């Protein structure tokens, strides 16, 4: 089937990558989410910046003695497999773990031969062993080296997205927070407006299918009764007074009570 929007589009996009997530299998444990056999409710999952797979921290990190502390300060995860596949990332992980944290791609004094990666390679020699997934700052895309050599490396390893700060976890999370805030603001505005449409929608949302049908039927009956009530006064040329309105709604209340009594007795199915 050809694409109707772009007729010249390739039938198969070879750059599309589908991992086990599309089969509802996540992490190295390959369990579904939500996991019906999970024995613990605190298996926190974090998404890898590179492969975009989701991992339980308990299965990806060596030290999980204090999981809450690990996620207290949001960071970007690079899983163990991606650290092994993209070796250069280990230097950025090492820099994040270093208390000095002196590297800044924008500062020439932190570079060697115009390459920030070479600076990190010299600083972390030898490089600490890979003992699981690693952390980088949420906005670390803005700090990766952008020299010609590193750009070529990113192209060869098909990770050019590192050069686009808009693709960072920090930007996506900020967009998510802004979207949620806007949705809450719009919801609050609709509630404050108190329009008939929004009030009716909120009322129907809390009903099951049978209750919605009953409600719609009741509204239709009352509308028909009110039209007939008003038409009668109009035909007689009489003025409608408050007591007439009260009498109409009292009659409608009695009709509803009688209908409920018949239903409870099994007479109205």
């Amino acid at each position: 089937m050809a694409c109707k929007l772009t007729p010249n589009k390739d039938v198969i996009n070879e750059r599309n990558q589908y991992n086990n997530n599309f089969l509802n299998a996540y992490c190295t444990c390959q369990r579904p989410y939500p996991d019906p056999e999970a024995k613990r409710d605190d298996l926190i999952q974090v998404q890898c910046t590179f492969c975009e797979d989701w991992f339980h921290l308990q299965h990806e990190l060596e030290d999980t003695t204090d999981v809450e502390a690990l996620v207290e300060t949001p960071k970007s995860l690079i899983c163990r497999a991606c650290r092994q596949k993209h070796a250069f990332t280990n230097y950025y992980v090492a820099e994040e773990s270093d208390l000095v944290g002196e590297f800044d791609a924008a500062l020439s004094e932190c570079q060697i031969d115009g390459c920030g990666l070479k600076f990190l390679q010299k600083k972390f020699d030898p490089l600490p062993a890979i003992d699981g997934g690693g952390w980088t700052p949420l906005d670390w895309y803005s700090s990766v080296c952008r020299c010609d050599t590193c750009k070529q490396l990113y192209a060869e390893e098909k990770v050019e997205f590192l050069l686009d700060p808009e693709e960072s976890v920090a930007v996506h999370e900020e967009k998510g927070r802004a979207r949620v805030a806007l949705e809450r603001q719009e919801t609050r505005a609709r509630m404050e407006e108190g329009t008939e449409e929004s009030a009716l929608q909120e009322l129907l949302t809390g009903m099951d299918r049978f209750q919605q049908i009953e409600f719609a039927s009741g509204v239709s009956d009352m509308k028909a009764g009110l039209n007939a009530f008003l038409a009668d006064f109009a035909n007689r040329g009489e003025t409608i007074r408050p007591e007439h309105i009260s009498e109409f709604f009292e009659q409608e209340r009695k009709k509803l009570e009688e209908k409920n009594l018949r239903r409870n007795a099994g007479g109205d199915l």
Side-chain angles (χ1 to χ4, degrees):
M1 181 180 295
C3 177
K4 295 182 179 179
L5 297 178
T6 309
N8 297 327
K9 183 178 180 181
D10 294 336
V11 177
I12 298 178
N13 185 351
E14 296 181 353
R15 300 189 66 181
N16 280 345
Q17 298 183 21
Y18 299 92
N19 58 20
N20 288 337
N21 290 177
F22 288 86
L23 302 176
N24 195 25
Y26 299 87
C27 188
T28 55
C29 62
Q30 294 295 290
R31 297 298 304 165
Y33 182 85
D35 189 348
E37 299 180 4
K39 297 181 179 180
R40 299 178 60 187
D41 297 329
D42 58 347
L43 288 177
I44 300 175
Q45 291 194 19
V46 180
Q47 189 176 33
C48 173
T49 303
F50 280 76
C51 65
E52 297 187 341
D53 196 355
W54 289 83
F55 296 89
H56 300 112
L57 291 184
Q58 289 86 341
H59 298 162
E60 186 62 20
L61 302 179
E62 292 292 326
D63 184 9
T64 56
T65 54
D66 191 351
V67 174
E68 293 184 1
L70 288 173
V71 296
E72 186 177 22
T73 302
K75 297 179 181 180
S76 178
L77 175 71
I78 304 178
C79 72
R80 184 199 313 261
C82 286
R83 290 186 64 185
Q84 294 172 343
K85 181 178 181 180
H86 307 288
F88 74 92
T89 62
N90 296 304
Y91 292 97
Y92 291 96
V93 171
E95 175 68 7
E96 170 64 14
S97 302
D98 185 48
L99 295 178
V100 178
E102 59 190 319
F103 172 69
D104 186 340
L107 300 178
S108 59
E109 60 265 31
C110 289
Q111 302 180 5
I112 298 178
D113 297 333
C115 178
L117 180 58
K118 287 184 178 180
F119 164 80
L120 294 178
Q121 290 172 335
K122 182 178 180 180
K123 177 179 179 180
F124 299 104
D125 184 18
L127 184 68
I130 299 176
D131 56 359
W135 300 105
T136 56
L138 286 180
D139 59 350
W140 77 291
Y141 285 23
S142 62
S143 299
V144 297
C145 182
R146 284 169 166 72
C147 71
D148 292 339
T149 302
C150 283
K151 286 182 179 179
Q152 182 179 352
L153 173 64
Y154 305 150
E156 292 173 351
E157 300 197 9
K158 295 182 174 57
V159 292
E160 298 100 319
F161 57 81
L162 289 175
L163 299 175
D164 184 2
E166 291 295 314
E167 289 294 327
S168 69
V169 176
V171 172
H172 283 294
E173 289 197 349
E174 182 58 34
K175 289 181 178 179
R177 285 191 290 268
R179 183 174 63 254
V180 170
L182 179 60
E183 291 175 352
R184 289 177 177 174
Q185 182 179 0
E186 292 175 345
T187 300
R188 190 179 301 111
R190 288 195 299 269
M191 294 178 66
E192 291 176 352
E193 288 175 1
T195 60
E196 293 182 2
E197 182 178 355
S198 63
L200 179 60
Q201 183 62 39
E202 291 178 13
L203 179 61
L204 292 175
T205 300
M207 299 180 179
D208 59 31
R209 181 64 177 170
F210 177 77
Q211 290 173 326
Q212 291 176 354
I213 295 175
E214 284 288 293
F215 178 82
S217 176
V219 170
S220 178
D221 291 344
M222 178 173 289
K223 181 178 179 181
L226 182 59
N227 287 335
F229 173 79
L230 297 176
D232 182 55
F233 276 86
N235 293 333
R236 297 200 306 265
E238 297 183 16
T239 301
I240 300 177
R241 296 191 296 274
E243 55 267 28
H244 294 147
I245 299 296
S246 298
E247 180 182 354
F248 168 78
F249 282 105
E250 178 63 21
Q251 292 175 353
E252 291 297 314
R253 185 186 65 79
K254 291 180 178 179
K255 290 180 183 179
L256 181 60
E257 289 180 350
E258 292 175 358
K259 184 177 181 179
N260 290 335
L261 287 174
R262 290 196 303 271
R263 180 187 296 111
N264 293 335
D268 187 7
L269 301 178

